[in-house]
């Protein structure tokens, strides 16, 4: 049996030393993966009774406990049992083996209930608690949202309902009885199948739900309230009839159909792709307005953030529809990868989330354009996860320690975790990957397991050694892959010399090589893919076809291809982004990139070639503008760092550096006018690299407003040079007003290209274009086009901007989900004076600071404005720090997410670094700071 390398199982030396130190009693405590131990007791059955009342709710929990401590020594007593709790949970009573305990017979703290003197063998515990869900602004455990009861128990929310072994390796079968006033709460939902329901005296009613599958408590769910529903049916391939329902507030019933349609597609896809059927008679979805996460995969009762599951053409964009399809698929796929097989401990979170994210990416790819989806996923990875990997919060996909697990639902765990899963598929092929998945379910159905168990199933199913792939799980940071090429015309061989290294990250100064699958092709002079014939060290030659995969797992290795022909080929490396690494190809010229952009058969690398060309030009512009500013300061003059002065400086420096090459304009023109290319691909191909990605290339700390100005200047130059082609793209891809909206790949592609062309043209800031945008906003027949036009207008100063925002608000003031777009677009705007606008919006009727979606749209959205968040006077940083402290008094999880933009302070110039660190220090010194915020802020400063 193959096993991961040992050091992938070890915590770092720095963390080990930190582990040994006695912490200050007021410092939040870290948990370490190396400390894992099985619980001394397990729970086989849980019977819950919820008596829901307006003033307070009573929860009665009856647990069947089984010993897990092994054989006791003669005369030894069973070990004590510590049940997790929370200070806002009132303990009413506790009984053990039918005997009610007096107060002195147990130990009760804000976080636990400790029971001693327990009987041997199986025994029962009854715990009665009292809750006030209406006061639960944390939105963890049982709480009220829009007058309805709802729950959120992942990661550690179940302890906010009752005292329990709140850990994922304790799996039990649940029966839940819910009782409430029938008029106020006509819908009562729980996990599993409905077993019983009826009326009670006093206008009350009840429902009993039974889940026949063992599950950890984080998958428990309850919903009670006034909700309307839509219903569909699905027949599994074995003939099981499954009822599918979505419950929403009455006003949202018209936005519920797409979720059910996506659910049916996901169920069919999982059967076709992995042979996995749904295992109950009922599948419920509930949309909740107040929700910290995007959605939750509770067994048979998925609870969704309303913003992720409700859609109609008038209120949702193509992107919203795509995200809805993906998140509905993601939560459904958890039924097997997360529910039937779950994680042993929270350090293994990527076992379910990385794997399920990979599955939802593949689902979306099969439903739409695979090439476009892959580009979208890599753009997010590079723009955000690579930043996380290079910052103070860098952590492996399987973390070694945490203070609050809520802080580790990160892009590293999810998206980099998905990339690690994709490594298996790249190395083993689709058939080999399916074999590994089959063995994984065969071995571990109904169990709580580890990442090592998943790796072992993949290795054993395919009789292959995957030890070096296991290093990915325990090592933080983004590997750098350097490739040097050499062509020998006499022997007609082509050699790749590959080197890899991963920079140090907090707590991990030394890194080991990881297994990097390099998918590649070699292009001949006519742009066609050449046959790949790889010569091994023993002289044998392996035929890899025209799109092969190299297994690179050492610090350095050489790969030689024979019979490549009389002309030097152009390499297409890391096709499909076959590993989450930063690639540098020594000697790669602009001519090579233009050739790949025109001819590469791999869509990702075709797009990537254009991105590299644009990135090189933008870096050239940025360094020229920065040098000009430095020269101005050296001469004793003030460098205008904002507005028209910044624009003039950037454009002057750009012109001095040679301007925009005609070859780049011609390449973009060829992409726009190529009838064979998908419109969505064209839109991405003519989009410039994101600001986050560009900052990775600035040594010594970036000036975000200057970099944004360079990006805007290049957009403006391209728009001017490509005006005729962009105008044709807008004209030819505009749908007639009478044509109804369709969420379909072809329709989305037309809208994507049209709106990308409009966005480029809008940077010219010409009156006729601005008027066209205002007109398109007024006449739009779908939210995709409406938001695209408004998004352009909010970046412009002037009456058109104010009129557009006012009309949009008047039209949608009664739809909170649409107003999230209104808030978000204003928050991220770079128009002059926008900080004061955002500050005013925090008091606007459309903003509710207790609602996570509002905080993410307006407060976190503000951090996306390079001009105002990164203002040189630090005013943007102070505003967000104020928001963090205010929100922390309401919702710790949301506040911790608002701290995240400060974590990347090392990426900026020294002045901004000092300003950001000062705000982090101010946050840390605030009294009563939550553990969630403390962890992010302290680790950020420590680095």
């Amino acid at each position: 049996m193959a096993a991961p390398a040992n050091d992938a199982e070890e915590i770092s030396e720095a963390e080990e030393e930190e582990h040994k130190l006695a912490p200050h009693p007021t410092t939040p405590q870290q948990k370490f993966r190396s400390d894992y131990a099985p619980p001394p007791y397990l729970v086989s059955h849980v019977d819950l009774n919820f008596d829901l009342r307006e003033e307070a709710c009573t929860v009665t929990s009856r647990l069947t406990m089984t010993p897990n401590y092994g054989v006791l020594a003669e005369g030894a007593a069973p070990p004590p049992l510590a049940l997790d709790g929370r200070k806002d949970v009132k303990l009413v009573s506790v009984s053990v083996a039918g005997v009610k305990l007096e107060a002195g017979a147990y130990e009760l703290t804000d976080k636990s209930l400790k029971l001693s003197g327990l009987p041997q063998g199986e025994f029962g515990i009854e715990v009665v608690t009292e809750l006030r869900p209406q006061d639960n602004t944390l939105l963890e455990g049982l709480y009220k949202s829009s007058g309805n009861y709802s729950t959120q128990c992942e990661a550690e929310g179940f302890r906010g309902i009752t005292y329990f072994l709140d850990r994922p390796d304790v799996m039990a079968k649940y029966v839940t009885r819910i009782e409430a006033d029938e008029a106020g709460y006509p819908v009562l939902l729980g996990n599993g199948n409905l077993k019983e329901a009826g009326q009670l005296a006093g206008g009350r009613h009840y429902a009993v739900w039974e889940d026949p599958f063992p599950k950890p408590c984080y998958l428990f769910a309850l919903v009670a309230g006034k909700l309307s529903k839509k219903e569909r049916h699905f027949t599994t391939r074995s003939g099981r009839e499954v009822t599918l329902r979505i419950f929403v507030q009455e006003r949202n019933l018209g936005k519920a159909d797409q979720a059910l349609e996506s659910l049916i597609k996901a169920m069919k896809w999982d059967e076709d792709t992995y042979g996995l059927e749904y295992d109950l008679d009922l599948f419920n979805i509930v949309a909740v307005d107040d929700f910290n996460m995007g959605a939750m995969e509770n067994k048979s009762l998925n609870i969704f953030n309303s913003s992720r599951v409700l859609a109609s053409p008038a209120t949702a964009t193509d992107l919203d529809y795509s995200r809805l399809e993906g998140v509905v698929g993601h939560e459904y796929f958890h039924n097997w990868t997360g529910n039937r097989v779950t994680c042993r401990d929270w350090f293994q979170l990527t076992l379910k989330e990385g794997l399920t994210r990979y599955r939802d990416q593949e689902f979306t790819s099969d439903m739409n354009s695979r090439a476009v989806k892959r580009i979208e996923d890599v753009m997010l990875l590079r723009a955000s996860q690579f930043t996380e990997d290079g910052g103070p919060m860098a952590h492996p996909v399987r973390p070694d320690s945490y203070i609050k697990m809520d802080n580790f639902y990160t892009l590293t765990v999810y998206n980099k975790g998905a990339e690690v899963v994709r490594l298996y598929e790249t190395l083993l092929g689709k058939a080999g990957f399916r074999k590994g998945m089959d063995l994984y379910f065969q071995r571990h159905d109904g169990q709580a397991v580890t990442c090592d168990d998943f790796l072992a199933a993949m290795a054993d199913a395919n009789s292959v050694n995957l030890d070096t792939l296991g290093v990915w799980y325990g090592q933080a940071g983004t590997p750098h892959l350097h490739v040097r090429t050499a062509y020998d015309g006499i022997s007609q061989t082509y050699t790749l010399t590959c080197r890899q290294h991963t920079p140090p990250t907090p707590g991990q100064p030394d890194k080991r090589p990881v297994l990097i699958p390099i998918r590649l092709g070699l292009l001949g002079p006519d742009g066609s893919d050449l046959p790949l014939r790889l010569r091994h060290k023993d002289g044998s030659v392996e035929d890899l076809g025209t799109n092969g995969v190299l297994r690179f797992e050492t610090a350095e290795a050489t790969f030689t291809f024979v019979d490549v022909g009389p002309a030097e080929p152009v390499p297409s490396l890391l096709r499909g982004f076959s590993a989450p690494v930063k690639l540098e190809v020594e000697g790669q010229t602009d001519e090579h990139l233009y050739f790949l952009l025109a001819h590469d058969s791999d869509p990702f690398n075709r797009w990537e070639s254009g991105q590299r060309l644009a990135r090189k030009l933008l870096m050239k512009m940025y360094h020229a503008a920065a040098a000009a500013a430095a020269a101005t300061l050296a001469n004793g003059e003030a460098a205008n760092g904002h507005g028209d002065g910044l624009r003039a400086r950037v454009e002057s420096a750009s012109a001095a550096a040679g301007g925009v090459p005609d070859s780049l304009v011609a390449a973009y023109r060829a992409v726009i006018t190529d009838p064979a290319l998908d419109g969505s691909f064209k839109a991405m191909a003519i989009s410039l690299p994101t600001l986050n990605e560009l900052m990775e290339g600035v040594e010594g700390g970036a000036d975000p407003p200057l970099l944004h100005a360079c990006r805007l200047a290049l957009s403006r130059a391209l728009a001017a040079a490509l005006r005729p082609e962009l105008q044709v793209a807008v004209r030819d891809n505009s749908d007639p007003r009478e044509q109804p909206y369709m969420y379909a790949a072809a329709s989305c592609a037309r809208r994507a290209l049209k709106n990308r062309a409009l966005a480029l043209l809008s940077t010219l800031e010409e009156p006729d274009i601005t008027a066209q945008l205002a007109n398109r906003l007024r006449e739009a027949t779908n939210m995709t086009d409406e938001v695209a036009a408004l998004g352009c207008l909010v970046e412009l100063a002037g009456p058109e901007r104010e009129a557009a925002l006012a009309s949009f608000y008047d039209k949608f003031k009664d739809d909170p989900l649409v107003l999230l777009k209104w808030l978000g677009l204003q928050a991220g705007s770079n128009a002059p004076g926008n900080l004061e606008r955002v500050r005013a919006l925090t008091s606007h009727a459309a903003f509710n600071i207790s609602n996570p979606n509002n905080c993410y749209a307006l407060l976190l959205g503000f951090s996306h404005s390079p001009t105002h968040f990164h203002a040189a006077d630090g005013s943007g940083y102070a505003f967000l720090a104020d928001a963090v402290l205010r929100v922390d008094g309401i919702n710790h999880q949301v506040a911790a997410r608002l701290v995240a933009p400060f974590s990347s302070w090392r990426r900026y110039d020294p002045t901004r670094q000092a300003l950001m660190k000062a705000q982090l220090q101010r946050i840390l010194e605030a009294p009563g700071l939550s553990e969630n915020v403390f962890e992010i802020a302290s680790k950020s400063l420590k680095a």
Side-chain angles (χ1 to χ4, degrees):
M1 176 184 296
N6 289 335
D7 68 332
E9 273 295 333
E10 297 170 357
I11 63 175
S12 68
E13 290 182 10
E15 286 182 324
E16 184 67 57
E17 287 303 311
E18 184 178 356
H19 191 186
K20 293 174 182 175
L21 295 175
H24 189 277
T26 61
T27 302
Q29 301 296 293
Q30 287 204 75
K31 299 180 179 70
F32 290 85
R33 184 166 60 89
S34 59
D35 288 342
Y36 172 82
Y41 298 90
L42 298 175
V43 184
S44 61
H45 289 82
V46 179
D47 285 283
L48 294 167
N49 186 81
F50 286 81
D51 186 0
L52 305 179
R53 308 273 175 170
E54 293 306 316
E55 279 302 308
C57 300
T58 303
V59 181
T60 302
S61 169
R62 298 180 181 90
L63 314 178
T64 301
M65 309 298 300
T66 60
N68 192 43
Y69 46 75
V71 179
L72 291 172
E74 186 174 349
L81 170 63
L83 300 175
D84 300 301
R86 207 167 71 190
K87 64 181 179 180
D88 58 338
V89 175
K90 179 182 177 181
L91 179 66
V92 176
S93 68
V94 56
S95 303
V96 176
V99 178
K100 185 176 180 180
L101 303 184
E102 299 301 322
Y106 54 82
E107 296 179 40
L108 182 65
T109 71
D110 284 348
K111 292 186 176 183
S112 70
L113 170 63
K114 187 175 181 180
L115 305 175
S116 303
L118 299 172
Q120 295 188 27
E122 183 180 285
F123 63 95
I125 294 178
E126 179 182 280
V127 178
V128 181
T129 55
E130 187 178 286
L131 315 174
R132 290 181 57 81
Q134 65 272 27
D135 298 334
N136 182 3
T137 62
L138 297 177
L139 310 184
E140 301 172 48
L142 179 66
Y143 64 94
K144 294 193 81 171
S145 171
S146 303
N148 298 322
Y149 290 97
S150 185
T151 57
Q152 172 57 27
C153 294
E154 187 176 354
E156 297 175 336
F158 194 72
R159 66 189 63 187
I161 296 174
T162 185
Y163 290 89
F164 195 78
L165 281 169
D166 191 354
R167 47 189 289 170
D169 57 351
V170 175
M171 302 177 72
K173 294 183 178 180
Y174 283 67
V175 175
T176 304
R177 183 183 181 275
I178 310 165
E179 177 187 326
D181 177 74
E182 187 169 16
Y185 307 95
V187 175
L188 304 176
L189 302 175
N191 300 104
N193 294 318
L194 180 64
K195 304 303 291 184
E196 185 183 342
Q199 270 69 40
L200 299 168
R204 294 176 69 77
H205 72 139
Y206 75 96
V208 178
W209 294 83
E210 181 179 8
D211 186 353
F213 294 96
K215 66 172 180 283
C217 65
Y218 80 83
L219 291 171
F220 171 80
L222 175 154
V223 171
K226 287 184 177 178
L227 297 166
S228 299
K229 75 171 187 286
K230 286 199 170 184
E231 182 173 301
R232 298 277 293 275
H233 296 273
F234 179 80
T235 303
T236 68
R237 64 179 188 170
S238 65
R240 178 195 292 270
E241 183 80 9
V242 183
T243 300
L244 314 176
R245 293 173 180 157
I246 180 169
F247 291 85
V248 299
Q249 295 176 61
E250 177 67 29
R251 61 184 170 84
N252 289 324
L253 203 57
K255 304 174 186 175
D257 293 293
Q258 187 64 28
L260 289 175
E261 185 66 29
S262 297
L263 177 58
I264 289 170
K265 289 180 180 178
M267 296 176 81
K268 180 69 165 60
W269 183 87
D270 219 15
E271 289 187 352
D272 293 345
T273 308
Y274 293 105
L276 300 175
E277 290 190 37
Y278 186 60
D279 48 15
L280 291 169
D281 302 327
L282 184 63
F283 191 99
N284 288 323
I285 289 174
V286 180
V288 176
D289 287 341
D290 300 297
F291 203 72
N292 289 334
M293 303 290 194
M296 181 60 211
E297 70 268 18
N298 316 296
K299 184 74 177 187
S300 78
L301 180 53
N302 284 191
I303 299 178
F304 279 73
N305 188 318
S306 297
S307 69
R308 287 292 181 263
V309 77
L310 300 178
S312 70
T315 62
T317 64
D318 292 340
L319 181 59
D320 293 329
Y321 273 87
S322 175
R323 286 176 174 169
L324 185 157
E325 184 175 72
V327 76
V328 168
H330 182 95
E331 304 310 325
Y332 173 75
F333 300 145
H334 267 313
N335 187 57
W336 280 93
T337 51
N339 298 4
R340 290 284 289 263
V341 183
T342 193
C343 46
R344 183 195 71 180
D345 53 72
W346 288 121
F347 298 102
Q348 317 291 332
L349 179 62
T350 196
L351 176 70
K352 74 181 187 76
E353 294 300 349
L355 176 55
T356 307
R357 174 54 49 85
Y358 165 79
R359 277 158 44 73
D360 83 55
Q361 289 173 349
E362 287 296 289
F363 166 62
T364 304
S365 296
D366 285 344
M367 295 300 106
N368 302 281
S369 165
R370 176 166 290 274
V372 170
K373 174 60 176 168
R374 187 60 184 145
I375 292 169
E376 289 175 347
D377 291 338
V378 174
M379 286 176 66
L380 176 61
L381 195 78
R382 285 177 169 170
S384 300
Q385 194 282 318
F386 278 16
T387 301
E388 191 169 86
D389 247 349
M393 287 300 294
H395 55 277
V397 295
R398 180 182 56 196
D400 289 321
S401 66
Y402 63 81
I403 293 175
K404 287 294 290 183
M405 187 58 214
D406 303 324
N407 289 335
F408 285 86
Y409 285 74
T410 61
L411 285 166
T412 296
V413 168
Y414 278 68
N415 293 56
K416 185 177 180 180
E419 294 300 316
V420 172
V421 173
R422 193 175 296 276
L423 299 179
Y424 291 102
E425 193 265 351
T426 301
L427 289 163
L428 304 175
K430 288 193 178 296
F433 186 78
R434 170 64 189 272
K435 284 170 60 180
M437 290 287 283
D438 289 347
L439 183 58
Y440 176 64
F441 294 126
Q442 178 186 328
R443 284 179 173 177
H444 302 298
D445 188 13
Q447 297 179 9
V449 297
T450 68
C451 298
D452 297 340
D453 295 314
F454 182 78
L455 186 146
M458 286 287 166
D460 293 349
N462 292 276
S463 300
V464 63
N465 188 308
L466 296 173
D467 287 2
T468 47
L469 195 153
V471 179
W472 283 95
Y473 287 108
Q475 190 162 280
T478 305
H480 291 223
L481 172 62
H482 180 278
V483 179
R484 185 178 72 251
T485 65
Y487 171 69
D488 187 328
I490 297 175
S491 62
Q492 297 189 5
T493 59
Y494 194 75
T495 299
L496 305 177
T497 301
C498 303
R499 298 198 312 273
Q500 63 164 296
H501 81 279
T502 302
T505 56
Q508 290 189 339
D510 301 314
K511 305 290 186 177
R512 293 187 65 228
V514 294
L515 197 165
I516 300 176
I518 304 174
R519 188 180 296 279
L520 81 160
L522 297 178
L523 277 64
D526 61 353
S528 63
D529 287 318
L530 300 175
L532 299 175
R533 304 189 70 233
L534 178 65
R535 185 173 65 202
H536 295 288
K537 290 182 179 179
D538 62 4
S540 63
V541 175
E542 180 183 2
D543 187 354
L544 301 181
T546 57
N547 190 33
V549 176
L550 303 177
R551 179 172 169 146
F552 176 43
E553 54 191 329
T554 55
E556 183 169 343
T558 298
F559 303 91
T560 298
F561 295 93
V562 300
D563 304 328
V564 297
E568 181 173 355
V570 176
S572 171
L573 302 176
L574 215 65
R575 282 184 160 180
F577 200 65
S578 59
V581 301
K582 295 181 180 180
L583 172 65
E584 179 188 351
V585 183
E586 185 178 324
Q588 186 178 58
T589 65
D590 287 357
E591 287 69 26
H592 290 148
L593 293 171
Y594 284 120
F595 186 81
L596 292 169
L597 178 58
H599 299 292
D600 203 329
S601 61
D602 180 68
F604 176 84
N605 270 7
R606 191 170 183 182
W607 168 82
E608 169 70 350
S609 299
Q611 292 290 292
R612 285 178 175 264
L613 288 163
R615 195 156 50 240
K616 289 170 70 174
L617 178 57
L618 282 164
M619 286 297 96
K620 185 177 179 182
M621 292 170 62
Y622 174 81
H623 291 303
T632 300
L633 290 172
N635 291 330
E637 303 172 32
N640 194 331
H642 58 273
D644 293 336
L646 180 60
R647 173 175 173 173
R649 173 154 56 91
V650 168
E651 291 182 348
S652 174
S654 174
V660 181
D662 292 341
S663 52
L664 184 64
V665 173
Y668 276 30
R669 180 177 291 118
V671 167
I672 296 171
T673 58
D674 187 343
L677 291 178
D678 174 84
S680 295
F681 179 86
K682 290 182 181 183
M684 289 187 158
I686 62 173
S687 297
L688 298 179
T690 65
L691 204 68
N692 262 355
E693 189 179 349
L694 291 170
M695 282 192 281
E696 292 286 320
V698 180
E699 294 184 5
D703 177 339
L706 178 59
L707 194 53
H708 168 70
C710 292
R711 193 173 181 274
L712 189 58
L714 180 54
S715 295
R716 195 178 296 117
L718 289 170
L722 296 167
R723 183 196 296 259
E725 290 78 16
L726 294 172
Q727 290 173 333
V728 168
V730 171
R731 183 196 67 199
D732 291 353
N733 290 280
S734 294
D735 294 327
R737 282 183 55 81
E738 63 275 9
Q739 182 172 318
Y741 172 90
M742 287 183 60
Y743 176 66
S747 300
C748 292
R750 287 198 304 274
R751 286 188 289 270
L753 180 56
K754 171 191 66 182
N755 290 324
R756 181 62 201 141
L758 278 169
L760 276 172
L761 289 168
S762 73
T763 63
L764 297 173
E765 299 183 34
E766 297 178 358
D768 60 327
I769 296 174
T770 302
Q772 183 185 162
L773 288 168
N775 184 60
R776 284 184 174 273
L777 176 65
R778 287 190 297 270
E779 296 186 355
T781 59
N782 60 77
M783 183 54 68
T784 303
D785 289 344
E786 205 158 354
V787 162
L790 184 61
C792 295
L793 289 168
V794 296
E795 291 297 322
L796 308 175
E800 295 87 357
R801 177 184 197 255
E802 303 308 318
L805 287 168
S807 67
F808 191 91
Y809 178 77
D810 288 342
K811 183 176 179 180
F812 295 107
K813 60 187 175 184
D814 295 323
D815 193 321
L817 292 182
V818 178
L819 288 183
L820 293 175
K821 304 180 191 303
W822 184 76
L823 290 170
L825 286 172
Q826 292 178 84
S829 171
N830 294 289
N834 203 55
L835 172 57
E836 290 312 309
R837 174 184 287 273
V838 173
R839 201 186 303 276
L841 284 171
T842 62
S843 302
H844 195 282
F847 179 73
N848 174 11
I849 198 169
S850 296
N851 177 265
N853 290 337
N854 277 239
C855 292
Y856 300 149
L858 184 63
L859 304 177
L860 195 59
F862 174 70
S863 71
H864 300 153
S865 168
T867 300
H868 299 297
F869 178 59
H870 294 289
D873 62 359
S875 56
Y877 303 148
F879 169 78
L880 188 61
D882 289 342
V884 167
L885 295 175
R886 185 179 173 195
V887 173
D888 196 38
I890 301 168
N891 188 315
H892 307 330
Q893 282 194 44
V894 175
R897 288 184 174 86
L898 298 183
V899 181
F902 291 109
S903 295
S904 56
W905 60 266
R906 290 189 302 182
R907 308 172 72 203
Y908 308 117
D909 57 74
T911 301
R912 289 181 171 86
Q913 287 187 15
L915 291 168
M916 295 183 92
K917 286 193 289 183
Q919 296 302 328
L920 282 169
Q921 189 63 44
R922 180 164 75 94
I923 290 170
L924 277 175
E925 292 172 356
L929 197 67
S930 70
E931 290 183 341
N932 302 66
V933 172
F934 172 85
E935 180 169 29
I936 303 295
S938 62
K939 287 185 175 180
S940 297
L941 265 184
K942 183 178 177 182

